[in-house]
Amino acid sequence: MPFAPCLGVKDTAVSKAFYEKLGFTVDSRTATESDDIHMVLFDGAFCGMLYRHAQLENWLTPLKGLPVGFTGMFYLEVHDFQGMLDTVAAVTEIVRGPSVDHTGTREFYFADPDGYLIGINDAASRQSSDLVGGFATES
């Protein structure tokens, strides 16, 4: 598994509903009252976790007292760029784009209820962009 974000959120029910409106699946089978962590999937594949921030602070003490959110963004590559754009625009504000970046990849950005920025990349345009092969490592 590559990097897997675990988002500390104020209210897991609000975040779960938000991501489900965007077409994600949120699997809550591992969540309990004392360990409120939910697995997030996109197109059936694991892509991250939602964790109640108050519990996350206790579980990983260096996070104690830090605000919810961070500086940066997460990216998700999708095969139906226009469909995802339409879905997101119906649920929340698009904060940037849609546009084409300097490599030729179509993208747009939105924020979730806790302020996490999510960048959506178009899989087809990325495959024909200057990015492909630029970061591959030899085996």
Side-chain angles (χ1 to χ4, degrees):
M1 162 177 47
F3 286 111
C6 180
L7 306 179
V9 300
K10 294 175 192 165
D11 185 327
T12 52
V14 169
S15 294
K16 179 180 176 189
F18 176 81
Y19 282 101
E20 287 174 338
K21 283 181 189 174
L22 297 179
F24 291 80
T25 301
V26 180
D27 185 334
S28 300
R29 289 180 291 178
T30 59
T32 65
E33 186 61 33
S34 63
D35 199 22
D36 193 16
I37 188 167
H38 305 261
M39 302 303 129
V40 181
L41 299 95
F42 186 78
D43 283 344
F46 172 80
C47 65
M49 297 158 274
L50 302 172
Y51 205 148
R52 189 180 318 159
H53 185 73
Q55 291 176 341
L56 188 57
E57 285 183 310
N58 292 328
W59 181 75
L60 199 58
T61 56
L63 297 175
K64 192 147 200 89
L66 295 178
V68 173
F70 80 117
T71 301
M73 75 282 299
F74 296 100
Y75 284 96
L76 177 69
E77 183 175 274
V78 299
H79 294 284
D80 182 3
F81 184 81
Q82 187 62 50
M84 189 65 174
L85 177 61
D86 294 344
T87 298
V88 172
V91 173
T92 192
E93 177 186 1
I94 305 297
V95 298
R96 181 181 166 114
S99 59
V100 177
D101 75 6
H102 67 284
T103 69
T105 302
R106 290 177 18 179
E107 63 184 8
F108 70 90
Y109 297 82
F110 66 93
D112 82 353
D114 290 288
Y116 291 105
L117 294 174
I118 312 293
I120 302 295
N121 288 343
D122 174 43
S125 66
R126 192 188 69 75
Q127 284 301 315
S128 60
S129 77
D130 295 339
L131 272 179
V132 174
F135 299 100
T137 57
E138 293 186 29
S139 305

